[in-house]
Structure formats: structure tokens, C-alpha cells
């Protein structure tokens, strides 16, 4: 009987636990780097400062909020190399790289900023140039952080770099995110009024109470 009470009560708590986990979901706002093969985009396996595209390649950048590469938004647009570089003739000693730059949606924009319209560009650069060099030739100013993370293309966004964004839209810097993670347990122990037990603690106490009541009932039944 005690086991039955515990199973039923814990089953009722599972939806609450799942909801609590989803409430803490977060993503990161950043420029993702892509390579196109035919009509399909593939998330790049190396950064633009290491990638060395060949003449005729199409590469893209997309600004968005995502948790990881698995759910990152692809650059939009269907223009291919022949269209993007139609007015840029081949030249000895150089290569042409077609770039698709997608500044994202207003929903992904930092507070107070508006994403520019997406653009394409044909970068004609030295044969050994990296994607970062190709991008710099057509979309300055670029901005990087101290870890060489690409933070802005053509000056967008004006500030911020890979900051964490919670589901509710609240932003925090990487340093603040680490601090938040360190104090999450303490914060969860407070209710909206700033004091009192957490939902988890209340649920745990309820389970103990139910099991205790069941035990008393079982003892009285046997007596």
C-alpha cells in the first residue's frame, strides 16, 4: 500500500518537474558559420579564421539565438555562386568566394537594435585567404572578442558577444551566466516574495507526509 501511494504521488509530480526544467532552458546569441553544398547548408566544423574556401565556394553567416549547432538557424536565401559572383570575373592569383550574410530576425536582436537586411557579396581574395579574410574584404567592420570569437559583422550587433539568453528573453554576459549558475540553487529556494521554501522542497515534504500517513494507516489496519 505504501509503495502504491508513493508511485501515484511521484507520477503526479513528474509534469511539475519537467516544467521546472524547461523554465531554465537558455541559448546563446551569436554569429554561426555555415558552408553550402549544392542547396544544403552545413554547420562549419572549423571557425572562419581557419577555413580556407576554394574558388566557387558558397559560405554563410547567420545571427540568431540557439542552444547549440543542432538547433542553429541556417542563413536564408537561395542565391548560388553563379548569381552572387556574376559580376565578378575570375582573375589570376585570386579566388572568388560567395558569401551570404543573414543578420537574423528582430526576435533574435539585442535589446534596442534592429537587424539590417540580409545581403550577399562576392569576395575576391588571394588564393590562400581564409573565410575571415574574405568576409573582412566585403563586410567591415568586424568585431572579435579576446578569444577570437566573431562578435559583429558590418558593425552588427553594436555590442555583446555570445551572451546567454534565457527563454524569457533576459540577457546575461558569459561571466554573469557563470555567476547565475552558481547561485541558481540558492535562488530556487525562494518564492516570489523572496522567502520561503522552493517548489522542490514542498514537493519532497509532501511525499514524506503521504508516505508517513500511509504507514500509520497500514499499522492501524494490522492492529
Amino acid at each position: 500500500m505504501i509503495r502504491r501511494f508513493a508511485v501515484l504521488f511521484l507520477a503526479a509530480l513528474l509534469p511539475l518537474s519537467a516544467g521546472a526544467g524547461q523554465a531554465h532552458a537558455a541559448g546563446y546569441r551569436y554569429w554561426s558559420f555555415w558552408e553550402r553544398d549544392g542547396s544544403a547548408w552545413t554547420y562549419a566544423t572549423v571557425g572562419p579564421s581557419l577555413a580556407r574556401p576554394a574558388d566557387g565556394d558558397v559560405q554563410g553567416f547567420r545571427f540568431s539565438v540557439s542552444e547549440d549547432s543542432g538547433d542553429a538557424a541556417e542563413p536564408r536565401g537561395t542565391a548560388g555562386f553563379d548569381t552572387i559572383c556574376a559580376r565578378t570575373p575570375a582573375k589570376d592569383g585570386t579566388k572568388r568566394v560567395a558569401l551570404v550574410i543573414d543578420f537574423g530576425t528582430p526576435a533574435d536582436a539585442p535589446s534596442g537594435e534592429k537587424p539590417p537586411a540580409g545581403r550577399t557579396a562576392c569576395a575576391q581574395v588571394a588564393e590562400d585567404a581564409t573565410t575571415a579574410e574574405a568576409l573582412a574584404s566585403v563586410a567591415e567592420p568586424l568585431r572579435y572578442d579576446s578569444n577570437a570569437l566573431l562578435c559583429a559583422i558590418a558593425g552588427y550587433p553594436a555590442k555583446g558577444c555570445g551572451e546567454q539568453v534565457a527563454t524569457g528573453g533576459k540577457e546575461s554576459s558569459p561571466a554573469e551566466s557563470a555567476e547565475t549558475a552558481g547561485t541558481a540553487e540558492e535562488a530556487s529556494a525562494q518564492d516570489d516574495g523572496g522567502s520561503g521554501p522552493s517548489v522542490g522542497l514542498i514537493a519532497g515534504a509532501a511525499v514524506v507526509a503521504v508516505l508517513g500517513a500511509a504507514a500509520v494507516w497500514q499499522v492501524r489496519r494490522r492492529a
Side-chain angles (χ1 to χ4, degrees), residues 90-195:
K91 183 179 178 181
D92 290 343
T94 68
K95 63 183 176 184
R96 295 168 297 165
V97 181
L99 298 174
V100 178
I101 305 171
D102 188 337
F103 295 89
T105 67
D108 290 330
S111 179
E113 296 200 52
K114 180 180 179 181
R119 67 172 78 167
T120 61
C122 185
Q124 190 163 43
V125 292
E127 292 179 332
D128 62 347
T130 63
T131 300
E133 292 171 325
L135 182 64
S137 72
V138 297
E140 289 188 332
L142 305 182
R143 178 165 57 85
Y144 294 87
D145 71 359
S146 59
N147 296 314
L149 176 66
L150 179 60
C151 303
I153 296 177
Y156 181 82
K159 58 182 180 180
C161 192
E163 64 271 21
Q164 191 176 49
V165 181
T167 302
K170 183 178 179 181
E171 301 176 14
S172 62
S173 66
E176 291 171 337
S177 299
E179 181 180 352
T180 300
T183 59
E185 183 175 352
E186 179 182 351
S188 67
Q190 299 180 346
D191 62 11
D192 294 339
S195 62

Side-chain angles (χ1 to χ4, degrees), residues 28-120:
Y28 295 88
R29 180 182 286 122
Y30 67 101
W31 280 102
S32 56
F33 172 40
W34 301 77
E35 299 173 337
R36 193 156 75 184
D37 182 7
S39 60
W41 286 107
T42 302
Y43 200 93
T45 57
V46 299
S49 62
L50 296 177
R52 296 184 184 277
D55 182 75
D57 281 353
V58 179
Q59 301 193 314
F61 293 85
R62 171 70 186 265
F63 189 75
S64 66
V65 174
S66 61
E67 292 184 27
D68 51 41
S69 61
D71 73 340
E74 300 178 355
R76 293 168 293 180
T78 59
F81 177 82
D82 290 340
T83 299
I84 297 173
C85 290
R87 299 183 179 181
T88 305
K91 183 179 178 181
D92 290 343
T94 68
K95 63 183 176 184
R96 295 168 297 165
V97 181
L99 298 174
V100 178
I101 305 171
D102 188 337
F103 295 89
T105 67
D108 290 330
S111 179
E113 296 200 52
K114 180 180 179 181
R119 67 172 78 167
T120 61

Side-chain angles (χ1 to χ4, degrees), residues 4-39:
R4 183 181 178 186
F5 267 95
V7 170
L8 290 175
F9 196 81
L10 289 174
L13 287 177
L14 285 177
L16 295 177
S17 301
Q22 292 173 359
H24 293 288
Y28 295 88
R29 180 182 286 122
Y30 67 101
W31 280 102
S32 56
F33 172 40
W34 301 77
E35 299 173 337
R36 193 156 75 184
D37 182 7
S39 60

